[in-house]
Amino acid sequence: MGNMPFVVSMILVMVGFLTLITRRNLIKLAIGISIIEMGVNLFLVSLGYVKGGIAPIYTYAPPGAKEMVFPTPQALTLTAIVIGLATTALMLAFAVVIYRHRGTLDAEKIRELRG
Amino acid sequence: MLIHAPILAIAVPLLGAFSLLGLAYLSRTLRNIWACLISAFTSAMAVAVAIRAFTEGVVVYTLGAASPTESVTAGGFPIRIVLVVDGLGAFMGLIAALAGVVALVYYFQYLKEEEGKSLGLSLLLLLWAGILGLVYTGDLFNFFVFLEITSIAACALIGYRTWESRPPEAAFKTMAMYTLGGLLVLISVGILYGEYDALNIAYLSKAITGSLLDKLALGLLLGGLLMKAGAVPAHMWAPDAYGEAPATATIVLVANTQAAIYAILRVVFTLFGGALAAPGIGWLIASLGITTVLVAVLMAVVQRHLGRLVAYGAVSQLGYMLLAVGVGAVARGGFGEVALTGGIFHMINDAASVGLLFFVVGAVRRATGSVDLLSLGGLGHTLRWEAGFFLLGALALAGIPPLNGFASKFLIYESTFRASPILAALALLASILLLAVVVRAFQGAFLGPKVREASPAPRGMLVAMGILALVIVVFGLFPGFFIERIVSPAVQAVLTGREAYLAAVLGG
């Protein structure tokens, strides 16, 4: 069972890729990328987990606690989440602008830039 | 202060990008002066770092330590974030400095105030900070963060003109590819961290054993970076992005793409240079490179949008660099050194010639409001300087002697021939085809009878084009001088500098 988080995160990444391949709606493409992002974030945070470990805040640790989880992956995940927020927001903003110009979100119909 | 130059080169444009928007509300003159000060300071810092790296060897700057030189804690484990500038990083910093300064000179008279001048200026500085961070950092996670900073800034720069319909479309495509590439890089950072508990590039490079997971991490890293570089089959975003971005930004976007090539060099030769130095990786990169060259040149033939035509030319040049990197990774010494010299020298030549061409395209669009080759013609009568610059840039792009493109491409052909004559023949063929394409574009836009009135570009834009034209001619006439001074340290840093890189960060 120890590998379960990794399996789930890779399933999330696969689901995201499948979304990118099969969907044509720009918003759904952004959702697909977001799902991949969630998968990667889950992967990162589960890298640092120690079974039975407590939150890595030294001054708040209860007296009997033995192990803490790794703090670095949590810092990485936080940063990755913030970056993911920025990229998703930017993509959705572009999707809104494209919709205003064309009246559609279908990637197949938005083909002004081809070839 | 010079000891802090590496971090100042990143921090100053980063802070400048945000403070600029505040100043723009107060006064436009103040904003312009501020932008000039920031860029002058940043490029001075980049040059100072480069001089130190070329003369004294690898420059290490540690963040958060009592002194910037304490990169390892007791026990020889580097827990702090470091900036490491070797010959290659310093060379990339110089390219970024050149691109940033020229873009700024061009900028002031290119965009009108109502076309989002403050916004574009701020994003330009942000992108600049991202590129410098990307090439200076010695920490794998920081590398990912800077990769994303460049992605976000580049896409915002491509698509911020929301009143037109084409730029947001190009920006969405680019953003999707960049984000996907960034996530592949992040997965591989996670894998390497999980295996070795470290993010420091030097430490990881020493620790990597070449296990199956390492191979997976290498594959994911290369995949993500090739997406960012715009290699076939992930090249679809590149012509859109270059063609639709404001002309002043494209030279910085080209520098951004070259930063991805830098990252590929760093990954293949430094990070995985010890345990996974198999020639197979080199063949893979070289074959992707030659495919990129051929596909891009063939696509350039059918373009009628002048910007997209030049954009496909830019993508093909990236293919040449990948080809050179690949051949260098196949041989690692001998003719591999020639290939890397050609490839790395080609980076700065490509930045100059492609940048010049995009500047001319921007001037044409500004003067006539159109970049359609079927409706343009006879612009040479009124836009004399622009016509000359376009011809110069086009010939340099196609690699005609005695211009700079020839100097670097010749080294690439020569070394590729020794690795595989077929690849060299294909590369040469593509170059001839490219010459036909750019000459046709020149003839279509600038020659023939005068069909419309056009106002010549203002002086500031011409000065920016003149600087690049000067670079093209001088680098073409004296290639030996520049190869010896700035390219050769970068090549040595790639080929034999891994030990020095590790020693500088980890000590002894």
PDB file of all heavy atoms in Angstrom, chain B residues 133-165:
ATOM      1  N   GLY B 133      17.997  34.058 -14.830  1.00  0.00           N
ATOM      2  CA  GLY B 133      17.920  33.103 -13.732  1.00  0.00           C
ATOM      3  C   GLY B 133      18.115  31.683 -14.216  1.00  0.00           C
ATOM      4  O   GLY B 133      18.835  30.886 -13.622  1.00  0.00           O
ATOM      5  N   LEU B 134      17.470  31.377 -15.342  1.00  0.00           N
ATOM      6  CA  LEU B 134      17.551  30.036 -15.910  1.00  0.00           C
ATOM      7  C   LEU B 134      18.992  29.649 -16.222  1.00  0.00           C
ATOM      8  O   LEU B 134      19.404  28.520 -15.978  1.00  0.00           O
ATOM      9  CB  LEU B 134      16.708  30.018 -17.187  1.00  0.00           C
ATOM     10  CG  LEU B 134      16.368  28.688 -17.815  1.00  0.00           C
ATOM     11  CD1 LEU B 134      15.517  27.897 -16.869  1.00  0.00           C
ATOM     12  CD2 LEU B 134      15.629  28.901 -19.112  1.00  0.00           C
ATOM     13  N   VAL B 135      19.760  30.580 -16.775  1.00  0.00           N
ATOM     14  CA  VAL B 135      21.113  30.206 -17.172  1.00  0.00           C
ATOM     15  C   VAL B 135      22.119  30.322 -16.030  1.00  0.00           C
ATOM     16  O   VAL B 135      23.207  29.789 -16.143  1.00  0.00           O
ATOM     17  CB  VAL B 135      21.605  31.024 -18.397  1.00  0.00           C
ATOM     18  CG1 VAL B 135      20.717  30.775 -19.583  1.00  0.00           C
ATOM     19  CG2 VAL B 135      21.685  32.492 -18.093  1.00  0.00           C
ATOM     20  N   TYR B 136      21.750  30.999 -14.937  1.00  0.00           N
ATOM     21  CA  TYR B 136      22.709  31.142 -13.836  1.00  0.00           C
ATOM     22  C   TYR B 136      22.491  30.134 -12.707  1.00  0.00           C
ATOM     23  O   TYR B 136      23.390  29.913 -11.924  1.00  0.00           O
ATOM     24  CB  TYR B 136      22.635  32.556 -13.232  1.00  0.00           C
ATOM     25  CG  TYR B 136      23.275  33.641 -14.084  1.00  0.00           C
ATOM     26  CD1 TYR B 136      23.120  34.977 -13.765  1.00  0.00           C
ATOM     27  CD2 TYR B 136      24.038  33.319 -15.196  1.00  0.00           C
ATOM     28  CE1 TYR B 136      23.693  35.969 -14.543  1.00  0.00           C
ATOM     29  CE2 TYR B 136      24.604  34.295 -15.974  1.00  0.00           C
ATOM     30  CZ  TYR B 136      24.437  35.620 -15.646  1.00  0.00           C
ATOM     31  OH  TYR B 136      25.002  36.598 -16.413  1.00  0.00           O
ATOM     32  N   THR B 137      21.292  29.561 -12.613  1.00  0.00           N
ATOM     33  CA  THR B 137      21.007  28.797 -11.409  1.00  0.00           C
ATOM     34  C   THR B 137      21.765  27.471 -11.381  1.00  0.00           C
ATOM     35  O   THR B 137      22.056  26.878 -12.422  1.00  0.00           O
ATOM     36  CB  THR B 137      19.498  28.553 -11.263  1.00  0.00           C
ATOM     37  OG1 THR B 137      19.291  27.916 -10.017  1.00  0.00           O
ATOM     38  CG2 THR B 137      18.968  27.666 -12.355  1.00  0.00           C
ATOM     39  N   GLY B 138      22.061  27.011 -10.162  1.00  0.00           N
ATOM     40  CA  GLY B 138      22.753  25.736 -10.000  1.00  0.00           C
ATOM     41  C   GLY B 138      21.890  24.767  -9.220  1.00  0.00           C
ATOM     42  O   GLY B 138      22.379  23.814  -8.630  1.00  0.00           O
ATOM     43  N   ASP B 139      20.582  25.027  -9.195  1.00  0.00           N
ATOM     44  CA  ASP B 139      19.668  24.241  -8.392  1.00  0.00           C
ATOM     45  C   ASP B 139      18.529  23.783  -9.294  1.00  0.00           C
ATOM     46  O   ASP B 139      17.967  24.583 -10.043  1.00  0.00           O
ATOM     47  CB  ASP B 139      19.132  25.118  -7.260  1.00  0.00           C
ATOM     48  CG  ASP B 139      18.197  24.368  -6.348  1.00  0.00           C
ATOM     49  OD1 ASP B 139      17.021  24.228  -6.691  1.00  0.00           O
ATOM     50  OD2 ASP B 139      18.658  23.934  -5.295  1.00  0.00           O
ATOM     51  N   LEU B 140      18.219  22.501  -9.250  1.00  0.00           N
ATOM     52  CA  LEU B 140      17.288  21.959 -10.234  1.00  0.00           C
ATOM     53  C   LEU B 140      15.867  22.484 -10.056  1.00  0.00           C
ATOM     54  O   LEU B 140      15.158  22.737 -11.037  1.00  0.00           O
ATOM     55  CB  LEU B 140      17.298  20.432 -10.132  1.00  0.00           C
ATOM     56  CG  LEU B 140      16.974  19.682 -11.407  1.00  0.00           C
ATOM     57  CD1 LEU B 140      17.824  20.146 -12.551  1.00  0.00           C
ATOM     58  CD2 LEU B 140      17.135  18.203 -11.203  1.00  0.00           C
ATOM     59  N   PHE B 141      15.436  22.688  -8.797  1.00  0.00           N
ATOM     60  CA  PHE B 141      14.065  23.175  -8.624  1.00  0.00           C
ATOM     61  C   PHE B 141      13.964  24.646  -9.015  1.00  0.00           C
ATOM     62  O   PHE B 141      13.000  25.074  -9.637  1.00  0.00           O
ATOM     63  CB  PHE B 141      13.587  22.961  -7.185  1.00  0.00           C
ATOM     64  CG  PHE B 141      12.125  23.284  -7.055  1.00  0.00           C
ATOM     65  CD1 PHE B 141      11.184  22.436  -7.576  1.00  0.00           C
ATOM     66  CD2 PHE B 141      11.706  24.452  -6.447  1.00  0.00           C
ATOM     67  CE1 PHE B 141       9.841  22.742  -7.499  1.00  0.00           C
ATOM     68  CE2 PHE B 141      10.364  24.756  -6.367  1.00  0.00           C
ATOM     69  CZ  PHE B 141       9.429  23.905  -6.883  1.00  0.00           C
ATOM     70  N   ASN B 142      14.987  25.417  -8.649  1.00  0.00           N
ATOM     71  CA  ASN B 142      15.036  26.810  -9.094  1.00  0.00           C
ATOM     72  C   ASN B 142      14.976  26.901 -10.597  1.00  0.00           C
ATOM     73  O   ASN B 142      14.369  27.805 -11.158  1.00  0.00           O
ATOM     74  CB  ASN B 142      16.354  27.428  -8.651  1.00  0.00           C
ATOM     75  CG  ASN B 142      16.157  28.342  -7.520  1.00  0.00           C
ATOM     76  OD1 ASN B 142      15.260  28.129  -6.735  1.00  0.00           O
ATOM     77  ND2 ASN B 142      16.953  29.360  -7.440  1.00  0.00           N
ATOM     78  N   PHE B 143      15.626  25.932 -11.223  1.00  0.00           N
ATOM     79  CA  PHE B 143      15.631  25.865 -12.671  1.00  0.00           C
ATOM     80  C   PHE B 143      14.196  25.750 -13.186  1.00  0.00           C
ATOM     81  O   PHE B 143      13.792  26.469 -14.102  1.00  0.00           O
ATOM     82  CB  PHE B 143      16.467  24.656 -13.090  1.00  0.00           C
ATOM     83  CG  PHE B 143      16.436  24.363 -14.533  1.00  0.00           C
ATOM     84  CD1 PHE B 143      17.228  25.081 -15.397  1.00  0.00           C
ATOM     85  CD2 PHE B 143      15.611  23.390 -15.030  1.00  0.00           C
ATOM     86  CE1 PHE B 143      17.183  24.827 -16.741  1.00  0.00           C
ATOM     87  CE2 PHE B 143      15.559  23.128 -16.372  1.00  0.00           C
ATOM     88  CZ  PHE B 143      16.352  23.856 -17.230  1.00  0.00           C
ATOM     89  N   PHE B 144      13.414  24.884 -12.543  1.00  0.00           N
ATOM     90  CA  PHE B 144      12.005  24.739 -12.937  1.00  0.00           C
ATOM     91  C   PHE B 144      11.245  26.049 -12.726  1.00  0.00           C
ATOM     92  O   PHE B 144      10.458  26.475 -13.570  1.00  0.00           O
ATOM     93  CB  PHE B 144      11.360  23.600 -12.140  1.00  0.00           C
ATOM     94  CG  PHE B 144       9.857  23.626 -12.164  1.00  0.00           C
ATOM     95  CD1 PHE B 144       9.170  23.236 -13.303  1.00  0.00           C
ATOM     96  CD2 PHE B 144       9.139  24.072 -11.070  1.00  0.00           C
ATOM     97  CE1 PHE B 144       7.795  23.287 -13.342  1.00  0.00           C
ATOM     98  CE2 PHE B 144       7.764  24.123 -11.103  1.00  0.00           C
ATOM     99  CZ  PHE B 144       7.086  23.735 -12.242  1.00  0.00           C
ATOM    100  N   VAL B 145      11.507  26.704 -11.577  1.00  0.00           N
ATOM    101  CA  VAL B 145      10.787  27.942 -11.281  1.00  0.00           C
ATOM    102  C   VAL B 145      11.096  29.002 -12.336  1.00  0.00           C
ATOM    103  O   VAL B 145      10.193  29.665 -12.857  1.00  0.00           O
ATOM    104  CB  VAL B 145      11.141  28.453  -9.869  1.00  0.00           C
ATOM    105  CG1 VAL B 145      10.556  29.823  -9.633  1.00  0.00           C
ATOM    106  CG2 VAL B 145      10.650  27.492  -8.825  1.00  0.00           C
ATOM    107  N   PHE B 146      12.371  29.133 -12.691  1.00  0.00           N
ATOM    108  CA  PHE B 146      12.729  30.143 -13.706  1.00  0.00           C
ATOM    109  C   PHE B 146      12.169  29.761 -15.071  1.00  0.00           C
ATOM    110  O   PHE B 146      11.784  30.622 -15.855  1.00  0.00           O
ATOM    111  CB  PHE B 146      14.242  30.335 -13.766  1.00  0.00           C
ATOM    112  CG  PHE B 146      14.773  31.165 -12.651  1.00  0.00           C
ATOM    113  CD1 PHE B 146      15.698  30.667 -11.764  1.00  0.00           C
ATOM    114  CD2 PHE B 146      14.331  32.467 -12.484  1.00  0.00           C
ATOM    115  CE1 PHE B 146      16.172  31.447 -10.721  1.00  0.00           C
ATOM    116  CE2 PHE B 146      14.807  33.240 -11.457  1.00  0.00           C
ATOM    117  CZ  PHE B 146      15.723  32.732 -10.570  1.00  0.00           C
ATOM    118  N   LEU B 147      12.126  28.456 -15.345  1.00  0.00           N
ATOM    119  CA  LEU B 147      11.520  27.997 -16.594  1.00  0.00           C
ATOM    120  C   LEU B 147      10.076  28.479 -16.671  1.00  0.00           C
ATOM    121  O   LEU B 147       9.609  28.962 -17.709  1.00  0.00           O
ATOM    122  CB  LEU B 147      11.580  26.472 -16.634  1.00  0.00           C
ATOM    123  CG  LEU B 147      11.333  25.777 -17.954  1.00  0.00           C
ATOM    124  CD1 LEU B 147      12.519  25.970 -18.852  1.00  0.00           C
ATOM    125  CD2 LEU B 147      11.091  24.302 -17.745  1.00  0.00           C
ATOM    126  N   GLU B 148       9.366  28.357 -15.545  1.00  0.00           N
ATOM    127  CA  GLU B 148       7.960  28.772 -15.541  1.00  0.00           C
ATOM    128  C   GLU B 148       7.837  30.295 -15.597  1.00  0.00           C
ATOM    129  O   GLU B 148       6.906  30.818 -16.207  1.00  0.00           O
ATOM    130  CB  GLU B 148       7.245  28.216 -14.310  1.00  0.00           C
ATOM    131  CG  GLU B 148       7.077  26.725 -14.351  1.00  0.00           C
ATOM    132  CD  GLU B 148       6.122  26.279 -15.457  1.00  0.00           C
ATOM    133  OE1 GLU B 148       5.074  26.908 -15.636  1.00  0.00           O
ATOM    134  OE2 GLU B 148       6.430  25.303 -16.136  1.00  0.00           O
ATOM    135  N   ILE B 149       8.785  31.012 -14.959  1.00  0.00           N
ATOM    136  CA  ILE B 149       8.740  32.477 -15.052  1.00  0.00           C
ATOM    137  C   ILE B 149       8.889  32.904 -16.501  1.00  0.00           C
ATOM    138  O   ILE B 149       8.126  33.732 -17.014  1.00  0.00           O
ATOM    139  CB  ILE B 149       9.852  33.122 -14.192  1.00  0.00           C
ATOM    140  CG1 ILE B 149       9.548  32.933 -12.716  1.00  0.00           C
ATOM    141  CG2 ILE B 149       9.968  34.613 -14.493  1.00  0.00           C
ATOM    142  CD1 ILE B 149      10.593  33.520 -11.808  1.00  0.00           C
ATOM    143  N   THR B 150       9.845  32.288 -17.223  1.00  0.00           N
ATOM    144  CA  THR B 150      10.001  32.657 -18.632  1.00  0.00           C
ATOM    145  C   THR B 150       8.754  32.270 -19.414  1.00  0.00           C
ATOM    146  O   THR B 150       8.326  33.014 -20.289  1.00  0.00           O
ATOM    147  CB  THR B 150      11.220  31.981 -19.276  1.00  0.00           C
ATOM    148  OG1 THR B 150      11.067  30.579 -19.155  1.00  0.00           O
ATOM    149  CG2 THR B 150      12.516  32.414 -18.669  1.00  0.00           C
ATOM    150  N   SER B 151       8.158  31.098 -19.097  1.00  0.00           N
ATOM    151  CA  SER B 151       6.967  30.677 -19.842  1.00  0.00           C
ATOM    152  C   SER B 151       5.837  31.673 -19.666  1.00  0.00           C
ATOM    153  O   SER B 151       5.210  32.098 -20.633  1.00  0.00           O
ATOM    154  CB  SER B 151       6.487  29.318 -19.359  1.00  0.00           C
ATOM    155  OG  SER B 151       7.482  28.373 -19.498  1.00  0.00           O
ATOM    156  N   ILE B 152       5.570  32.033 -18.402  1.00  0.00           N
ATOM    157  CA  ILE B 152       4.436  32.914 -18.133  1.00  0.00           C
ATOM    158  C   ILE B 152       4.686  34.284 -18.747  1.00  0.00           C
ATOM    159  O   ILE B 152       3.821  34.851 -19.424  1.00  0.00           O
ATOM    160  CB  ILE B 152       4.191  33.005 -16.613  1.00  0.00           C
ATOM    161  CG1 ILE B 152       3.691  31.663 -16.087  1.00  0.00           C
ATOM    162  CG2 ILE B 152       3.185  34.092 -16.300  1.00  0.00           C
ATOM    163  CD1 ILE B 152       3.657  31.556 -14.608  1.00  0.00           C
ATOM    164  N   ALA B 153       5.911  34.807 -18.558  1.00  0.00           N
ATOM    165  CA  ALA B 153       6.202  36.136 -19.102  1.00  0.00           C
ATOM    166  C   ALA B 153       6.144  36.108 -20.629  1.00  0.00           C
ATOM    167  O   ALA B 153       5.590  37.019 -21.257  1.00  0.00           O
ATOM    168  CB  ALA B 153       7.581  36.602 -18.633  1.00  0.00           C
ATOM    169  N   ALA B 154       6.692  35.033 -21.241  1.00  0.00           N
ATOM    170  CA  ALA B 154       6.708  34.968 -22.703  1.00  0.00           C
ATOM    171  C   ALA B 154       5.292  34.900 -23.249  1.00  0.00           C
ATOM    172  O   ALA B 154       4.948  35.604 -24.211  1.00  0.00           O
ATOM    173  CB  ALA B 154       7.515  33.756 -23.163  1.00  0.00           C
ATOM    174  N   CYS B 155       4.437  34.074 -22.641  1.00  0.00           N
ATOM    175  CA  CYS B 155       3.076  33.921 -23.171  1.00  0.00           C
ATOM    176  C   CYS B 155       2.274  35.195 -22.957  1.00  0.00           C
ATOM    177  O   CYS B 155       1.485  35.585 -23.832  1.00  0.00           O
ATOM    178  CB  CYS B 155       2.385  32.743 -22.529  1.00  0.00           C
ATOM    179  SG  CYS B 155       3.181  31.232 -23.003  1.00  0.00           S
ATOM    180  N   ALA B 156       2.458  35.833 -21.814  1.00  0.00           N
ATOM    181  CA  ALA B 156       1.757  37.094 -21.598  1.00  0.00           C
ATOM    182  C   ALA B 156       2.215  38.117 -22.624  1.00  0.00           C
ATOM    183  O   ALA B 156       1.421  38.892 -23.168  1.00  0.00           O
ATOM    184  CB  ALA B 156       2.015  37.602 -20.183  1.00  0.00           C
ATOM    185  N   LEU B 157       3.500  38.106 -22.940  1.00  0.00           N
ATOM    186  CA  LEU B 157       4.050  39.049 -23.915  1.00  0.00           C
ATOM    187  C   LEU B 157       3.505  38.765 -25.313  1.00  0.00           C
ATOM    188  O   LEU B 157       3.213  39.686 -26.079  1.00  0.00           O
ATOM    189  CB  LEU B 157       5.578  38.904 -23.912  1.00  0.00           C
ATOM    190  CG  LEU B 157       6.430  40.024 -24.459  1.00  0.00           C
ATOM    191  CD1 LEU B 157       6.038  41.331 -23.842  1.00  0.00           C
ATOM    192  CD2 LEU B 157       7.885  39.734 -24.160  1.00  0.00           C
ATOM    193  N   ILE B 158       3.331  37.482 -25.633  1.00  0.00           N
ATOM    194  CA  ILE B 158       2.798  37.139 -26.955  1.00  0.00           C
ATOM    195  C   ILE B 158       1.342  37.578 -27.059  1.00  0.00           C
ATOM    196  O   ILE B 158       0.919  38.118 -28.078  1.00  0.00           O
ATOM    197  CB  ILE B 158       2.910  35.620 -27.194  1.00  0.00           C
ATOM    198  CG1 ILE B 158       4.361  35.188 -27.265  1.00  0.00           C
ATOM    199  CG2 ILE B 158       2.194  35.227 -28.479  1.00  0.00           C
ATOM    200  CD1 ILE B 158       4.541  33.706 -27.074  1.00  0.00           C
ATOM    201  N   GLY B 159       0.582  37.339 -25.975  1.00  0.00           N
ATOM    202  CA  GLY B 159      -0.863  37.483 -26.107  1.00  0.00           C
ATOM    203  C   GLY B 159      -1.478  38.694 -25.450  1.00  0.00           C
ATOM    204  O   GLY B 159      -2.696  38.790 -25.387  1.00  0.00           O
ATOM    205  N   TYR B 160      -0.668  39.656 -24.950  1.00  0.00           N
ATOM    206  CA  TYR B 160      -1.303  40.727 -24.179  1.00  0.00           C
ATOM    207  C   TYR B 160      -2.106  41.683 -25.044  1.00  0.00           C
ATOM    208  O   TYR B 160      -2.925  42.434 -24.537  1.00  0.00           O
ATOM    209  CB  TYR B 160      -0.279  41.480 -23.313  1.00  0.00           C
ATOM    210  CG  TYR B 160       0.545  42.513 -24.046  1.00  0.00           C
ATOM    211  CD1 TYR B 160       0.097  43.820 -24.137  1.00  0.00           C
ATOM    212  CD2 TYR B 160       1.758  42.191 -24.618  1.00  0.00           C
ATOM    213  CE1 TYR B 160       0.855  44.771 -24.807  1.00  0.00           C
ATOM    214  CE2 TYR B 160       2.504  43.118 -25.276  1.00  0.00           C
ATOM    215  CZ  TYR B 160       2.055  44.405 -25.373  1.00  0.00           C
ATOM    216  OH  TYR B 160       2.790  45.341 -26.037  1.00  0.00           O
ATOM    217  N   ARG B 161      -1.890  41.670 -26.370  1.00  0.00           N
ATOM    218  CA  ARG B 161      -2.681  42.570 -27.217  1.00  0.00           C
ATOM    219  C   ARG B 161      -4.030  41.916 -27.507  1.00  0.00           C
ATOM    220  O   ARG B 161      -4.290  41.395 -28.581  1.00  0.00           O
ATOM    221  CB  ARG B 161      -1.917  42.875 -28.504  1.00  0.00           C
ATOM    222  CG  ARG B 161      -0.692  43.736 -28.221  1.00  0.00           C
ATOM    223  CD  ARG B 161       0.147  43.872 -29.431  1.00  0.00           C
ATOM    224  NE  ARG B 161       0.551  42.546 -29.887  1.00  0.00           N
ATOM    225  CZ  ARG B 161       0.808  42.265 -31.140  1.00  0.00           C
ATOM    226  NH1 ARG B 161       0.700  43.160 -32.065  1.00  0.00           N
ATOM    227  NH2 ARG B 161       1.184  41.052 -31.469  1.00  0.00           N
ATOM    228  N   THR B 162      -4.906  41.968 -26.491  1.00  0.00           N
ATOM    229  CA  THR B 162      -6.144  41.199 -26.560  1.00  0.00           C
ATOM    230  C   THR B 162      -7.152  41.805 -27.528  1.00  0.00           C
ATOM    231  O   THR B 162      -8.180  41.204 -27.788  1.00  0.00           O
ATOM    232  CB  THR B 162      -6.785  41.101 -25.173  1.00  0.00           C
ATOM    233  OG1 THR B 162      -6.780  42.412 -24.616  1.00  0.00           O
ATOM    234  CG2 THR B 162      -6.013  40.183 -24.283  1.00  0.00           C
ATOM    235  N   TRP B 163      -6.892  43.015 -28.028  1.00  0.00           N
ATOM    236  CA  TRP B 163      -7.844  43.615 -28.960  1.00  0.00           C
ATOM    237  C   TRP B 163      -7.700  43.023 -30.367  1.00  0.00           C
ATOM    238  O   TRP B 163      -8.517  43.271 -31.220  1.00  0.00           O
ATOM    239  CB  TRP B 163      -7.688  45.139 -28.986  1.00  0.00           C
ATOM    240  CG  TRP B 163      -6.285  45.578 -29.238  1.00  0.00           C
ATOM    241  CD1 TRP B 163      -5.726  45.844 -30.433  1.00  0.00           C
ATOM    242  CD2 TRP B 163      -5.270  45.789 -28.264  1.00  0.00           C
ATOM    243  NE1 TRP B 163      -4.419  46.201 -30.265  1.00  0.00           N
ATOM    244  CE2 TRP B 163      -4.105  46.177 -28.945  1.00  0.00           C
ATOM    245  CE3 TRP B 163      -5.221  45.675 -26.860  1.00  0.00           C
ATOM    246  CZ2 TRP B 163      -2.913  46.461 -28.304  1.00  0.00           C
ATOM    247  CZ3 TRP B 163      -4.026  45.947 -26.223  1.00  0.00           C
ATOM    248  CH2 TRP B 163      -2.899  46.349 -26.934  1.00  0.00           C
ATOM    249  N   GLU B 164      -6.636  42.258 -30.597  1.00  0.00           N
ATOM    250  CA  GLU B 164      -6.527  41.540 -31.861  1.00  0.00           C
ATOM    251  C   GLU B 164      -6.882  40.080 -31.612  1.00  0.00           C
ATOM    252  O   GLU B 164      -6.752  39.588 -30.493  1.00  0.00           O
ATOM    253  CB  GLU B 164      -5.091  41.632 -32.403  1.00  0.00           C
ATOM    254  CG  GLU B 164      -4.767  42.993 -32.977  1.00  0.00           C
ATOM    255  CD  GLU B 164      -3.315  43.069 -33.413  1.00  0.00           C
ATOM    256  OE1 GLU B 164      -2.849  42.110 -34.041  1.00  0.00           O
ATOM    257  OE2 GLU B 164      -2.672  44.081 -33.114  1.00  0.00           O
ATOM    258  N   SER B 165      -7.297  39.380 -32.652  1.00  0.00           N
ATOM    259  CA  SER B 165      -7.771  38.016 -32.419  1.00  0.00           C
ATOM    260  C   SER B 165      -6.641  36.994 -32.497  1.00  0.00           C
ATOM    261  O   SER B 165      -6.714  35.948 -31.879  1.00  0.00           O
ATOM    262  CB  SER B 165      -8.858  37.649 -33.427  1.00  0.00           C
ATOM    263  OG  SER B 165      -8.305  37.601 -34.722  1.00  0.00           O
TER     264      SER B 165
END
